[in-house]
Amino acid sequence: HGLFSVLSTKKDRAPREVQRLWQRPWLRTAGLGASLVLTALLLWSSLGAEDGVAEVLARRGEVVAGRFIEVPCSEDYDSHRRFEGCTPRKCGRGVTDVVITREEAEQIRSIAEKGLSLGGSDGGASILDLHSGALSVGKHFVNLYRYFGDKIQNIFSEEDFQLYREVRQKVQLTIAEAFGISASSLHLTKPTFFSRINSTEARTAHDEYWHAHVDKVTYGSFDYTSLLYLSDYLEDFGGGRFVFMEEGANKTVEPRAGRVSFFTSGSENLHRVEKVHWGTRYAITIAFSCNPDHGIEDPAFP
């Protein structure tokens, strides 16, 4: 509708003789046709410019049993301590819809909803980290365990934390199998967190989730990154697709509740998330390190 408002504003500013011409039926029809074509072209070009997508790696409507694309490893891992049998030598990205059920995804999403109901960012992106206790509140973060104390026991249940652990274990096994490494060599690392994204305008840099980045550069501890989607693209939200950025041939993953997307964390998997245009997108980022010194424990029910 923004494009239509631009076109109508230009028409309103037109000289009177042009406005009189606009009132002639045949010119009005031609003008409307041209406006619609222009609008369609502008919309097409703006969408194309935003995502540059050449290939959909996984569509929301399909059930992907397991899809894996191997890509050459970057040199990012060379500047960190190597752990033989874990540090990526085989790099790539994968998607599966058969590890986490949609029912489990719904239950996990309810944990995120309960936690985020205690706060939420003023901008479009809110974070809940059950490990550190970090929770977006306004333009800042609080530690929900300290901030809310014993009230937390009325928000979450022991079953919530048990399900969280089980889902983490399933994702860990999936990554280990895909990359041919031992699951025991992978250590859950921080930050591992829930995200809730809507179309609200960004208020701080923390809300600007759409910038392209490399996880290994942003978080040195990351070796393998995974995302478990907890809502459905084009049903629960618009925009918000995950984009692996490659010159002239971006690959996109359309979120689907229960879908796990995973990849090696180096610059071979430069990526970003499209801006969410409507609705609410829920996901959980679960990250693993090969370095046991960077390991964190599963969250425990307070």
Side-chain angles (χ1 to χ4, degrees), residues 146-221:
R146 285 204 295 267
Y147 197 79
F148 295 100
D150 293 340
K151 292 178 185 174
I152 290 297
Q153 295 177 7
N154 300 323
I155 302 295
F156 301 116
S157 67
E158 178 59 61
E159 290 72 28
D160 290 337
F161 284 75
Q162 178 62 35
L163 177 64
Y164 186 96
R165 287 192 293 273
E166 290 171 1
V167 165
R168 189 270 304 160
Q169 288 167 347
K170 287 181 181 180
V171 171
Q172 185 168 343
L173 288 168
T174 300
I175 291 172
E177 185 178 341
F179 290 99
I181 59 178
S182 167
S184 62
S185 69
L186 292 171
H187 304 276
L188 188 67
T189 194
K190 63 182 180 182
T192 282
F193 59 93
F194 289 104
S195 59
R196 182 185 70 190
I197 304 175
N198 59 35
S199 59
T200 305
E201 186 180 344
R203 297 287 188 269
T204 72
H206 294 294
D207 297 317
E208 296 183 16
Y209 57 85
W210 54 82
H211 299 296
H213 63 279
V214 173
D215 288 347
K216 188 70 179 167
V217 174
T218 307
Y219 311 107
S221 63

Side-chain angles (χ1 to χ4, degrees), residues 257-290:
R259 172 166 287 168
V260 178
S261 173
F262 58 92
F263 49 94
T264 45
S265 305
S267 53
E268 68 276 1
N269 283 311
L270 172 70
H271 61 272
R272 68 182 185 87
V273 173
E274 292 177 334
K275 286 186 179 182
V276 170
H277 300 305
W278 57 267
T280 306
R281 177 192 192 271
Y282 283 91
I284 177 170
T285 298
I286 306 173
F288 296 94
S289 177
C290 294

Side-chain angles (χ1 to χ4, degrees), residues 25-46:
W26 68 271
L27 276 175
R28 187 165 64 238
T29 303
L32 281 171
S35 295
L36 288 170
V37 169
L38 177 61
T39 300
L41 284 170
L42 286 171
L43 186 60
W44 177 83
S45 64
S46 69

Side-chain angles (χ1 to χ4, degrees), residues 30 44 51 67 113 118 144 157 223-224 234 256 264 280:
W44 177 83
D51 54 38
R67 191 166 291 161
E113 289 173 333
L118 298 171
L144 83 161
S157 67
D223 288 306
Y224 299 90
L234 292 186
R256 167 188 169 92
T264 45
T280 306

Side-chain angles (χ1 to χ4, degrees), residues 2-101:
L3 290 170
F4 280 107
S5 65
V6 169
L7 288 168
S8 64
T9 302
K10 287 182 178 176
K11 181 171 76 74
D12 292 342
R13 288 176 181 168
R16 283 180 188 152
E17 60 271 20
V18 175
Q19 292 209 23
R20 281 197 295 272
L21 280 171
W22 185 262
Q23 289 162 3
R24 296 180 187 177
W26 68 271
L27 276 175
R28 187 165 64 238
T29 303
L32 281 171
S35 295
L36 288 170
V37 169
L38 177 61
T39 300
L41 284 170
L42 286 171
L43 186 60
W44 177 83
S45 64
S46 69
L47 286 172
E50 183 189 6
D51 54 38
V53 167
E55 182 183 333
V56 178
L57 186 57
R59 298 186 185 280
R60 184 213 64 194
E62 63 178 326
V63 177
V64 179
R67 191 166 291 161
F68 186 84
I69 297 175
E70 189 166 352
V71 297
C73 292
S74 64
E75 297 177 356
D76 296 348
Y77 309 99
D78 297 340
S79 57
H80 295 265
R81 184 178 164 195
R82 295 192 74 91
F83 291 83
E84 210 50 52
C86 181
T87 298
R89 291 196 180 277
K90 171 186 176 182
C91 292
R93 56 193 70 144
V95 180
T96 178
D97 293 322
V98 298
V99 171
I100 307 299
T101 68

